[in-house]
Amino acid sequence: MQLITSPASPFARKARMVIIETGQEDDVELVEVMSSPTAPNPQLTAANPMSKIPALIRSDGPTLYDSRVVTRYLDARSGGALYPESRIWDVLVLEATGDAIMDAGVLMVYENRCRPEDMQFGGWMDAQWGKIEGALDALNTRWMSHLSGPLDMGQISVACALGYLDFRHAEREWRKGRDALDDWFAVFSARDSFRATMPA
């Protein structure tokens, strides 16, 4: 299999972490591409008509895309430990929360990178950050017991989201007033899979 990926993409990082956590490094070749909404990579577009990373090219079936589809497939292929049925709805909501933080964070980057300066809208950027702050507050108050439990896909998604905030939006200081989430992230960040997939 081939995973079309990018070192800076938090969504691709999710898939790369799952590959490591489930011991599938020898089964998946990483294919790094450069792509953006205004300059999509032809190889990526051929695999995913939406031109979004990641995409998992399989020899025994159609290419899979959208990070949640890719991670669910990789986990099922290895035995299904990251989406446990006993708490599946909590895992899926937590994964969606992490993904939503990534979505808003990436859109903020695109606003600066893809729009001409005279067309950029600060109010829209602040609205995206407001969504991120709401999600962070929810994680810090109502999700800490789950985050502190056995490893699952929700935790991986949240960790990738927080890592992306550090990478692209460090000046926004997401940790302020969120000590519990900060403490959890400090511990999670020591995982080998997280350290091996640092964005660049």
Side-chain angles (χ1 to χ4, degrees):
M1 293 184 292
Q2 291 182 319
L3 182 75
I4 299 183
T5 183
S6 168
S9 167
F11 296 101
R13 188 180 194 181
K14 285 174 55 184
R16 290 164 59 213
M17 283 189 67
V18 170
I19 290 168
I20 295 170
E21 290 287 352
T22 58
Q24 298 183 75
E25 297 101 314
D26 293 339
D27 297 336
V28 185
E29 176 190 359
L30 302 182
V31 180
E32 293 187 0
V33 300
M34 297 292 294
S35 188
S36 78
T38 55
N41 180 281
Q43 185 177 9
L44 175 60
T45 303
N48 176 0
M50 300 302 292
S51 297
K52 291 186 174 183
I53 292 170
L56 185 68
I57 300 172
R58 302 179 295 162
S59 59
D60 59 348
T63 296
L64 302 179
Y65 48 85
D66 185 276
S67 66
R68 277 180 268 190
V69 176
V70 171
T71 56
R72 193 78 181 256
Y73 171 81
L74 289 169
D75 182 58
R77 188 174 183 269
S78 70
L82 296 177
Y83 290 92
E85 282 298 325
S86 61
R87 57 183 194 280
I88 189 61
W89 300 114
D90 288 348
V91 172
L92 293 177
V93 170
L94 203 54
E95 182 181 16
T97 301
D99 284 8
I101 293 171
M102 292 182 232
D103 273 330
V106 168
L107 288 173
M108 290 172 69
V109 170
Y110 285 161
E111 180 75 6
N112 281 325
R113 186 173 294 170
C114 298
R115 277 188 192 276
E117 188 172 351
D118 62 345
M119 296 178 66
Q120 294 172 14
F121 180 29
W124 189 87
M125 296 269 284
D126 290 341
Q128 296 304 314
W129 186 254
K131 294 177 185 179
I132 292 172
E133 287 200 307
L136 293 172
D137 288 342
L139 292 170
N140 191 65
T141 55
R142 80 180 70 137
W143 287 103
M144 290 314 304
S145 61
H146 187 113
L147 286 173
S148 301
L151 180 69
D152 60 38
M153 199 60 226
Q155 295 173 20
I156 291 174
S157 178
V158 168
C160 289
L162 299 181
Y164 189 73
L165 296 184
D166 281 345
F167 179 54
R168 293 296 194 202
H169 303 291
E171 76 285 354
R172 297 266 184 170
E173 299 182 332
W174 68 262
R175 291 171 172 81
K176 275 190 175 178
R178 303 180 183 99
D179 292 345
L181 188 58
D182 182 20
D183 290 345
W184 171 82
F185 185 56
V187 174
F188 192 95
S189 297
R191 295 188 75 90
D192 290 342
S193 63
F194 192 82
R195 296 169 65 87
T197 56
M198 294 294 288

